[in-house]
């Protein structure tokens, strides 16, 4: 079957599933609702594999496949088709997204079986998958923007799924509003792109940029790159627009897994990677991407150190790992950033789903200080959480080790690499290992701190939930082996596979100013990062399993620093003080009381009503029904008319 037929067949099943459950789901049983949703996600995954096979076995497997189905927008020079784009980057993204999303759909059958709004949840979940697939298969920026806004809408619906709970509805609104700030930047960047090149099709735009001589349109391309990155920073929760992601934990746990691992937050990384040739001709913008990514990675990891809510700790971990991905793209090793996106999708979705299994057993409790010793009752959950923890900590031979170290190597010796970026990333790796093993010890190891009533009912989740955990654990181990590192004698096959996509950008960056040739070998770079992870693991186990009084003593000794970290650097309070509170004051004191109540209601609406009432009172006196009164009014009118004719006129 041809790719032009297969590609829509990959996108349509989740859209049909969303429509079926959204329109008729109220009438269906829970079994039918989950069957429709899971079959839709499963069909999309199967077709994604079929598309990957058809593309890989075609004669032009290194070239992108583009097919236009019909013209969507035609206005002057602006033309946007409903056209789909498929290359090796699309292949990696579609397989990763559909596999993880399908497993989350399967897991949700067990997690949500006692929740209200069951059909609504699965309708939103299917729609989320459709919008993400639209985003990553679009052949132009306008169609990508449809998927971009679509995942934003779905995140709002799913984060605020428990809409009767104020914190959940507020979190949904916060995610929607904060990401709109980034989307404004994306819109400006796309507008500048069209103004400069008179087209928004990927192939044409990238070809025109690739043909530019060095330095031409440098300022414009830098502005475009920075504006587009603002959109990416909003969607992928980077400084300063990261504040929505921790609050997104108010949604059901499968939603957290889907957002953090496979859909919304990876969209920003994909956008930067897809626009790699643009950023290669705007090295200043690309350097900003790398610096923001590296700083965000460290910043978020320091906050995760003191979080006691299991899901919020994982949320800050996601922000940090996304920073790693942007760091990889920002130093010019785009393939490494996408490689980490892929491996992260498996172990981060596993971490969230395992946290959901813990939450399920603990009757909704997420405070790790009230856990401990759960490994005795939740054996499968503990084993899979341990595997994911080893993977995200960068322990050798687990998936995260391969992708994380490739990014760190690129940060040191990549086209835009800097020594300080490498050490920043290495420090982050050590902190990541520490806070993840802290969570492991507090949750599963050591003495039980579970309430006696809850402890009596502790039990492992059912197969609907543990089955996807085991599959994701398998991928969290083996996913990194697709690209054995050069430092260990490998050829980094993943990088070579994506060379047709990123090769032109990397070639343009090789001679960029500021290239750091590096003084350490690949083996030395890997050794330092592994040592940092080992130190973090050792401290995490020692402080939170063996010497459990040490963290309390350190918190007391460094009370000021601990207070800053536990309050997340007071960033939310700062935003409330600088942005939210002034807007509320202006809205209440001026826009409501002066403009709305005073001017609009008081003058326009109420004033018009009062004037009508007064005029009606006058006219009512004229229409009295008295003949002598009518004669007097006629006489008065005649006199006034004569005065007008004789005197004025």
């Amino acid at each position: 079957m041809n790719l032009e037929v297969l590609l829509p067949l990959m996108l349509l099943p989740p859209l049909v599933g969303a429509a079926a459950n959204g329109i008729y789901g109220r009438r269906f049983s829970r079994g039918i609702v989950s069957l429709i949703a899971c079959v839709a996600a499963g069909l999309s995954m199967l077709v994604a594999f079929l598309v990957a096979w058809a593309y890989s076995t075609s004669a032009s497997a290194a070239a992108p496949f583009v097919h236009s189905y019909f013209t969507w927008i035609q206005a002057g020079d602006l033309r946007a088709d409903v056209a789909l784009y498929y290359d090796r980057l699309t292949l990696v993204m579609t397989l990763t997204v559909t596999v993880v999303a399908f497993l989350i759909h399967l897991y949700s059958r067990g997690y949500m079986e006692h929740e209200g709004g069951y059909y609504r949840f699965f309708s939103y979940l299917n729609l989320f998958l459709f919008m993400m697939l639209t985003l990553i298969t679009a052949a132009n920026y306008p169609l990508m923007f449809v998927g971009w806004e679509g995942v934003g809408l779905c995140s709002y619906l799913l984060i605020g799924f428990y809409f009767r709970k104020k914190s959940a509805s507020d979190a949904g609104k916060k995610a929607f509003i904060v990401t709109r700030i980034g989307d404004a930047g994306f819109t400006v960047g796309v507008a500048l792109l069209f103004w400069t090149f008179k087209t928004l099709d990927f192939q044409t735009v990238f070809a025109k940029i690739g043909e530019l001589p060095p330095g031409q349109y440098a300022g414009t391309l830098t502005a475009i790159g920075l504006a587009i990155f603002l959109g990416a920073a909003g969607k992928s929760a980077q400084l300063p627009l990261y504040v929505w992601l921790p609050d997104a934990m108010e949604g059901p746990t499968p939603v957290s897994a889907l957002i953090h691992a496979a859909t919304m937050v990876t969209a920003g990384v994909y956008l930067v990677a897809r626009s790699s040739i643009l950023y290669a001709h705007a090295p200043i913008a690309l350097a900003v991407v790398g610096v923001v990514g590296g700083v965000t990675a460290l910043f978020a990891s320091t906050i995760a150190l003191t979080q006691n809510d299991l899901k919020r700790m994982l949320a800050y971990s996601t922000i940090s790992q996304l920073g790693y991905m942007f760091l990889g793209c920002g130093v010019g090793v785009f393939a490494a950033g996408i490689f980490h996106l892929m491996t992260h999708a498996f172990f981060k979705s596993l971490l969230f789903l395992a946290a959901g299994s813990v939450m399920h057993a603990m009757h909704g409790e997420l405070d790790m200080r009230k856990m401990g010793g759960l490994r005795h009752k939740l054996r499968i959950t503990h084993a899979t959480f341990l595997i994911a923890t080893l993977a995200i900590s960068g322990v050798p031979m687990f998936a995260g080790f391969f992708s994380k170290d490739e990014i760190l190597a690129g940060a040191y010796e990549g086209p835009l690499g800097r020594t300080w970026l490498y050490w920043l990333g290495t420090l982050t790796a050590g902190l990541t290992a520490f806070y993840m093993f802290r969570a492991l010890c507090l949750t599963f190891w050591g003495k039980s701190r579970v309430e006696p009533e809850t402890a009596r009912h502790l039990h492992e989740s059912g197969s609907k939930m543990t089955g996807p955990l085991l599959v994701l654990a398998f991928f969290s181990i083996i996913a990194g082996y697709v690209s054995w590192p050069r430092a260990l004698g490998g050829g980094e096959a993943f990088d070579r596979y994506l060379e047709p996509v990123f090769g032109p950008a990397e070639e343009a960056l090789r001679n960029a100013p500021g290239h750091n040739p590096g003084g350490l070998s690949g083996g030395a770079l890997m050794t330092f990062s592994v040592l940092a992870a080992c130190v973090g693991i050792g401290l995490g186990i020692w402080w939170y399993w063996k010497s459990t009084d040490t963290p309390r003593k350190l918190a007391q000794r460094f009370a000021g620093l601990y207070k800053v970290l536990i309050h997340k650097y007071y960033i939310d309070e700062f935003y409330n003080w600088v942005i939210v509170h002034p807007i509320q004051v202006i809205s209440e004191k001026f826009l409501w009381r002066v403009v709305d109540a005073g001017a609009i209601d008081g003058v326009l609406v109420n004033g018009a009503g009062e004037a009508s009432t007064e005029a009606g009172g006058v006219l009512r006196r004229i229409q009295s029904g008295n003949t002598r009164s009518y004669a007097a009014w006629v006489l008065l009118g005649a006199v006034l008319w004569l005065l007008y004719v004789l005197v004025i006129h």
Side-chain angles (χ1 to χ4, degrees):
M1 193 176 289
N2 294 331
L3 285 174
E4 59 262 30
V5 177
L6 286 172
L7 281 173
L9 291 179
M10 179 176 63
L11 272 67
L12 288 177
L15 179 62
V16 173
N21 278 329
I23 298 171
Y24 303 108
R26 189 185 294 270
R27 307 174 190 175
F28 297 155
S29 67
R30 292 185 174 232
I32 296 298
V33 167
S34 60
L35 179 65
I36 291 172
C38 292
V39 166
L43 283 174
S44 185
M45 180 186 69
L46 290 175
V47 177
F49 276 99
L50 187 58
V51 172
W53 176 81
Y55 175 77
S56 300
T57 56
S58 65
S60 57
F65 170 83
V66 186
H67 184 76
S68 175
Y69 295 89
F70 58 88
T71 299
W72 169 36
I73 299 173
Q74 181 72 64
D77 292 334
L78 176 62
R79 172 175 173 167
D81 292 354
V82 173
L84 300 182
Y85 187 98
Y86 195 89
D87 62 359
R88 294 184 176 187
L89 174 59
T90 317
L91 183 150
V92 172
M93 291 295 298
T94 52
L95 292 182
T96 302
V97 168
T98 55
V99 168
V100 172
F102 176 61
L103 292 171
I104 291 172
H105 276 73
L106 293 179
Y107 175 94
S108 299
R109 295 175 304 152
Y111 188 88
M112 298 295 293
E113 62 184 350
H114 301 301
E115 298 284 352
Y118 194 77
Y119 75 95
R120 184 165 51 91
F121 175 82
F122 277 101
S123 176
Y124 295 163
L125 218 59
N126 270 178
L127 185 61
F128 213 156
L129 176 57
F130 167 74
M131 288 299 181
M132 187 64 187
L133 289 174
T134 300
L135 190 157
I136 58 181
T137 56
N140 53 64
Y141 283 103
L143 186 59
M144 175 190 269
F145 194 71
V146 172
W148 186 270
E149 291 301 305
V151 295
L153 169 64
C154 293
S155 69
Y156 164 74
L157 295 172
L158 285 165
I159 292 168
F161 180 77
Y162 301 120
F163 57 87
R164 296 183 185 275
K165 185 179 176 184
K166 188 176 186 303
S167 59
S169 61
D170 286 347
K173 288 182 285 186
K174 185 175 183 178
F176 195 78
I177 292 168
V178 172
T179 54
R180 292 295 75 71
I181 297 170
D183 293 352
F186 186 12
T187 306
V188 170
V190 171
L192 282 173
L193 203 62
F194 176 73
W195 178 72
T196 306
F197 298 104
K198 304 303 179 186
T199 181
L200 293 174
D201 290 329
F202 289 156
Q203 272 193 313
T204 310
V205 168
F206 298 158
K208 287 185 175 182
I209 293 175
E211 293 169 357
L212 291 175
Q216 187 171 357
Y217 293 136
T220 302
L221 292 177
T222 298
I224 293 171
L226 292 173
I228 288 178
F229 177 59
L230 180 60
K235 272 290 186 290
S236 296
Q238 298 294 284
L239 285 168
L241 300 178
Y242 73 94
V243 291
W244 67 269
L245 193 59
D247 288 354
M249 299 304 96
E250 292 290 343
T253 300
V255 174
S256 303
L258 191 62
I259 290 176
H260 287 245
T263 53
M264 183 163 167
V265 298
T266 62
V269 180
Y270 171 76
L271 172 62
V272 172
R274 175 57 74 198
S275 307
S276 59
I277 191 66
L278 163 66
Y279 283 99
H281 285 76
I284 294 175
L286 188 60
V288 170
V289 172
V291 170
V292 170
V295 172
T296 302
L298 179 63
F299 173 82
S301 65
T302 60
I303 296 177
L305 295 174
T306 58
Q307 294 301 300
N308 295 312
D309 183 296
L310 180 58
K311 284 177 64 177
R312 283 184 178 270
M313 182 277 297
L314 292 176
Y316 282 105
S317 169
T318 299
I319 297 170
S320 179
Q321 295 301 306
L322 289 165
Y324 260 122
M325 298 172 206
F326 280 113
L327 173 60
C329 293
V331 297
V333 287
F334 296 96
I338 295 299
F339 186 26
H340 196 58
L341 185 155
M342 182 192 75
T343 60
H344 176 264
F346 295 121
F347 57 71
K348 184 50 64 70
S349 58
L350 175 56
L351 286 168
F352 270 108
L353 297 186
S357 182
V358 170
M359 189 177 174
H360 196 263
M362 294 285 294
H363 304 295
E365 182 61 66
L366 281 169
D367 192 335
M368 293 183 286
R369 294 170 296 184
K370 299 179 181 179
M371 299 179 188
L374 295 185
R375 73 182 188 278
H376 301 296
K377 295 288 186 179
L378 311 180
R379 296 184 182 278
I380 296 177
T381 302
H382 165 249
T384 53
F385 193 94
L386 173 60
I387 290 171
T389 299
L390 293 169
I392 195 174
S393 299
V395 173
M397 305 303 107
F398 288 85
F401 161 75
F402 298 97
S403 55
K404 178 207 70 175
D405 273 84
E406 192 171 325
I407 288 175
L408 291 178
Y412 188 82
E413 58 190 11
L416 297 182
R418 296 289 188 276
T419 302
W420 69 271
L421 283 174
Y422 166 78
W423 291 112
L424 189 75
T426 301
L427 175 59
T428 303
L431 295 177
T432 302
F434 174 78
Y435 68 67
M436 285 307 308
F437 270 84
R438 170 182 179 266
L440 183 71
C441 293
L442 288 175
T443 305
F444 293 100
W445 296 357
K447 295 180 181 179
S448 175
R449 300 175 299 281
V450 181
E451 293 291 335
E453 181 62 27
T454 304
R456 280 195 292 271
H457 299 93
L458 277 176
H459 61 87
E460 182 61 273
S461 302
S463 59
K464 290 180 181 179
M465 295 169 66
T466 56
L469 294 182
L470 293 170
V471 177
L472 287 169
F474 173 73
F475 283 118
S476 297
I477 297 172
I478 63 101
Y481 288 85
V482 300
S483 190
W484 196 262
R486 286 194 180 92
L488 297 179
E492 295 181 347
F494 191 84
D495 291 30
R496 287 188 286 106
Y497 181 75
L498 291 179
E499 188 174 351
V501 180
F502 299 127
E506 292 175 353
E507 179 65 30
L509 285 169
R510 281 195 181 101
N511 297 318
H515 171 64
N516 181 8
L520 296 175
S521 66
L525 297 174
M526 183 178 291
T527 300
F528 283 123
S529 66
V530 171
L531 284 175
C534 291
V535 170
I537 292 170
L539 287 176
I541 293 175
W542 181 255
W543 288 0
Y544 291 95
W545 189 23
K546 298 299 183 181
S547 180
T548 55
D549 199 43
T550 302
R552 182 184 60 81
K553 292 179 180 178
L554 287 173
Q556 291 175 346
R557 183 174 181 180
F558 301 99
L561 177 60
Y562 179 77
K563 188 176 180 181
V564 169
L565 293 179
I566 201 73
H567 287 92
K568 299 158 287 189
Y569 294 97
Y570 296 96
I571 299 296
D572 282 294
E573 290 82 356
F574 175 77
Y575 282 167
N576 283 332
W577 180 61
V578 172
I579 299 173
V580 178
H581 182 65
I583 290 175
Q584 288 177 333
V585 171
I586 292 170
S587 299
E588 180 181 353
K589 302 295 184 183
F590 178 71
L591 295 178
W592 172 36
R593 297 187 184 278
V594 177
V595 177
D596 191 10
I600 297 175
D601 286 347
V603 177
L604 296 179
V605 178
N606 296 337
E610 291 172 1
S612 299
T613 301
E614 293 296 327
V618 173
L619 293 175
R620 180 173 56 80
R621 292 188 183 92
I622 295 174
Q623 300 294 330
S624 63
N626 188 306
T627 304
R628 287 186 300 173
S629 175
Y630 289 163
W633 286 114
V634 169
L635 179 60
L636 177 61
V639 171
L640 293 175
W641 174 252
L642 286 172
L643 286 172
Y644 172 74
V645 171
L646 297 176
V647 179
I648 301 175
H649 187 68

